[in-house]
Amino acid sequence: MIPYLALIIVILMLGVINRETDIVGRPKRNFCVFFACVVFTFVSGFRADTVGADTYNYQQFFLWVSSLNFSEVASTDTLLWNSQGTEVTYKYFNWLIGQFFKNPQSITMACAIVLAVVLFLIVIQQSKDPWLSILLFVCLGFFQTSMNIAPSCIASLCVLLGCRYVIRRSLLKFLGCIALGCIFHYSALLFLPIYLIPKLKLSFKFVLIYLLCGFMFLPVVYPLLVNIMGAFAPDRWSQYLTVSRINLSQLLVWLFYFVLFIFARFVSDKSKRRTVELDLYNGLFLIVGLAYALTLCSTSFSRIAILFAPFLILAIPEYLSIVKSRYFNKRGSLANRSEKYLVLYCNHAKTIIVVVSIVIFAVRLLVNNIGMTIPYEICF
């Protein structure tokens, strides 16, 4: 628990530097994000195989794959953990790393580096508040999750990197990001429909209505749907569709995400501005909510929810930025002096989000061992 709290302290210290970005400019902000990603790489890459429920399995899988010849990688299977269901492309990624490094810690470090690079690009290119995005990445549990199911999380972030191409309506570049994610995990294919979300122009009011209906009716009709979904889902995925016990802890995580998103949306409510970004974030919020509604039937859907949920690190800063951007003119001064309180209101909202996120994160460390990443141990 202490290493994760120390990580938060480091990010808060970077936040002090981040406050000076209006004076010193963009390079300093980029440095803060870069330094945070380096810290993530160190913490994740040098973790022991006991940190993360599947870390040991990934390392043993790496040792097996790296011992094969190139021609054997795609065709050879064994009783080793999950080998029959592991993506061929991820096998070759393991094999490639194994040609240079034989230590099983190598694959852990390689995945940590890839994740940090993709996260850096996402935050620098798309976030309206890079420091807040970095903080939310940790406090919302995504960093610890990435130390448990690294390939899935890398795939998710690769698609999140492609969200800028959804906004720009650049289909080929978006498909390129999907393909990049599929190298690590085929779950990136689940994100293909999000390219259509901006066309739907989902209003926030209708999103809430759909969520209410989802939580009311999906648990009822799920037993009827599971057979239909099982007929189309690959064999390795259909096993996760079976009805299982309800996990209330997942619903508490959803409640936390829901409150943060609603609060950020409420702060920007005075602005009637509507953009492609906001339409996309509304649609992703709906997908995450419906996935959590399905956890009432099968806890496996919590993994789908956590794959889509990282959009929050971009959505919340986007909402908070709306108030400021709307009430500043081209010269950077307030368009209406009487509305200065709105900017102050936005700053207070950010403070509230930061404080609440850190408190909830600390509570989760005490009561919920995210991805079996507690206690944290270093590999040497």
Side-chain angles (χ1 to χ4, degrees), residues 368-379:
N368 182 20
N369 193 348
I370 305 173
M372 303 299 291
T373 55
I374 299 174
Y376 179 86
E377 296 177 345
I378 203 162
C379 64

Side-chain angles (χ1 to χ4, degrees), residues 278-306:
L278 299 185
D279 288 337
L280 176 61
Y281 296 149
N282 284 342
L284 290 173
F285 180 65
L286 175 61
I287 292 174
V288 173
L290 293 178
Y292 274 112
L294 287 169
T295 61
L296 295 172
C297 313
S298 174
T299 56
S300 299
F301 283 96
S302 63
R303 176 167 291 195
I304 296 178
I306 204 65

Side-chain angles (χ1 to χ4, degrees), residues 171-240:
L171 178 59
L172 290 180
K173 291 182 179 179
F174 174 67
L175 292 178
C177 291
I178 293 284
L180 180 63
C182 285
I183 292 176
F184 298 92
H185 202 274
Y186 292 160
S187 60
L189 296 173
L190 295 173
F191 290 82
L192 280 171
I194 73 173
Y195 190 80
L196 303 176
I197 289 178
K199 293 293 185 181
L200 301 177
K201 296 183 178 180
L202 295 169
S203 68
F204 189 68
K205 178 176 68 175
F206 281 104
V207 167
L208 293 179
I209 293 174
Y210 295 148
L211 283 176
L212 178 62
C213 294
F215 273 89
M216 290 176 59
F217 297 113
L218 281 180
V220 177
V221 302
Y222 181 78
L224 301 176
L225 296 176
V226 67
N227 293 329
I228 299 176
M229 292 188 291
F232 294 96
D235 292 338
R236 62 172 295 196
W237 290 357
S238 59
Q239 59 179 315
Y240 299 113

Side-chain angles (χ1 to χ4, degrees), residues 310-349:
F311 87 94
L312 290 169
I313 72 173
L314 298 178
I316 292 176
E318 179 74 27
Y319 276 117
L320 293 181
S321 72
I322 290 177
V323 177
K324 286 185 177 181
S325 62
R326 186 171 186 267
Y327 293 104
F328 277 85
N329 61 24
K330 294 181 180 180
R331 296 180 179 178
S333 58
L334 284 173
N336 187 336
R337 291 180 180 274
S338 64
E339 292 172 335
K340 282 186 177 181
Y341 77 94
L342 289 171
V343 177
L344 183 63
Y345 179 52
C346 179
N347 289 334
H348 286 330

Side-chain angles (χ1 to χ4, degrees), residues 77-84:
D77 272 326
T78 182
L79 295 178
L80 193 66
W81 169 83
N82 203 30
S83 62
Q84 294 181 341

Side-chain angles (χ1 to χ4, degrees), residues 23-39:
I23 300 175
V24 299
R26 185 182 181 90
K28 182 75 73 173
R29 182 182 67 180
N30 291 356
F31 170 77
C32 292
V33 177
F34 175 79
F35 185 82
C37 289
V38 170
V39 173

Side-chain angles (χ1 to χ4, degrees), residues 19-299:
R19 291 181 58 185
E20 305 299 324
T21 54
D22 291 336
I23 300 175
V24 299
R26 185 182 181 90
K28 182 75 73 173
R29 182 182 67 180
N30 291 356
F31 170 77
C32 292
V33 177
F34 175 79
F35 185 82
C37 289
V38 170
V39 173
F40 291 161
T41 302
F42 179 86
V43 175
S44 179
F46 288 111
R47 72 184 186 273
D49 58 11
T50 57
V51 181
D54 289 333
T55 301
Y56 174 80
N57 295 325
Y58 285 129
Q59 292 188 358
Q60 295 304 307
F61 179 79
F62 166 78
L63 290 176
W64 168 63
V65 172
S66 61
S67 66
L68 302 175
N69 295 324
F70 181 84
S71 59
E72 297 175 327
V73 174
S75 59
T76 304
D77 272 326
T78 182
L79 295 178
L80 193 66
W81 169 83
N82 203 30
S83 62
Q84 294 181 341
T86 302
E87 290 72 4
V88 173
T89 48
Y90 184 64
K91 286 183 180 180
Y92 277 112
F93 176 75
N94 278 259
W95 180 87
L96 181 62
I97 300 299
Q99 302 314 297
F100 300 95
F101 308 99
K102 299 302 181 182
N103 191 306
Q105 198 67 32
S106 303
I107 190 62
T108 304
M109 176 58 72
C111 287
I113 292 174
V114 172
L115 185 137
V117 169
V118 176
L119 178 64
F120 176 80
L121 294 175
I122 290 171
V123 172
I124 289 301
Q125 295 176 356
Q126 300 182 58
S127 178
K128 294 297 177 59
D129 190 336
W131 175 80
L132 181 59
S133 293
I134 290 295
L135 181 74
L136 291 174
F137 183 73
V138 176
C139 290
L140 298 186
F142 303 137
F143 176 62
Q144 284 174 269
T145 301
S146 72
M147 293 195 290
N148 177 33
I149 49 175
S152 301
C153 290
I154 293 174
S156 172
L157 289 185
C158 287
V159 179
L160 188 60
L161 180 65
C163 282
R164 64 189 305 219
Y165 303 119
V166 175
I167 296 168
R168 297 177 181 179
R169 311 309 297 162
S170 180
L171 178 59
L172 290 180
K173 291 182 179 179
F174 174 67
L175 292 178
C177 291
I178 293 284
L180 180 63
C182 285
I183 292 176
F184 298 92
H185 202 274
Y186 292 160
S187 60
L189 296 173
L190 295 173
F191 290 82
L192 280 171
I194 73 173
Y195 190 80
L196 303 176
I197 289 178
K199 293 293 185 181
L200 301 177
K201 296 183 178 180
L202 295 169
S203 68
F204 189 68
K205 178 176 68 175
F206 281 104
V207 167
L208 293 179
I209 293 174
Y210 295 148
L211 283 176
L212 178 62
C213 294
F215 273 89
M216 290 176 59
F217 297 113
L218 281 180
V220 177
V221 302
Y222 181 78
L224 301 176
L225 296 176
V226 67
N227 293 329
I228 299 176
M229 292 188 291
F232 294 96
D235 292 338
R236 62 172 295 196
W237 290 357
S238 59
Q239 59 179 315
Y240 299 113
L241 298 176
T242 56
V243 178
S244 57
R245 63 183 179 83
I246 295 174
N247 191 339
L248 294 180
S249 66
Q250 295 300 329
L251 294 182
L252 292 178
V253 173
W254 158 243
L255 180 62
F256 175 41
Y257 294 166
F258 180 82
V259 170
L260 278 186
F261 189 84
I262 293 294
F263 179 73
R265 179 67 176 79
F266 173 78
V267 171
S268 64
D269 192 51
K270 292 182 180 294
S271 172
K272 302 303 180 182
R273 176 183 175 187
R274 185 167 182 174
T275 64
V276 179
E277 290 93 336
L278 299 185
D279 288 337
L280 176 61
Y281 296 149
N282 284 342
L284 290 173
F285 180 65
L286 175 61
I287 292 174
V288 173
L290 293 178
Y292 274 112
L294 287 169
T295 61
L296 295 172
C297 313
S298 174
T299 56

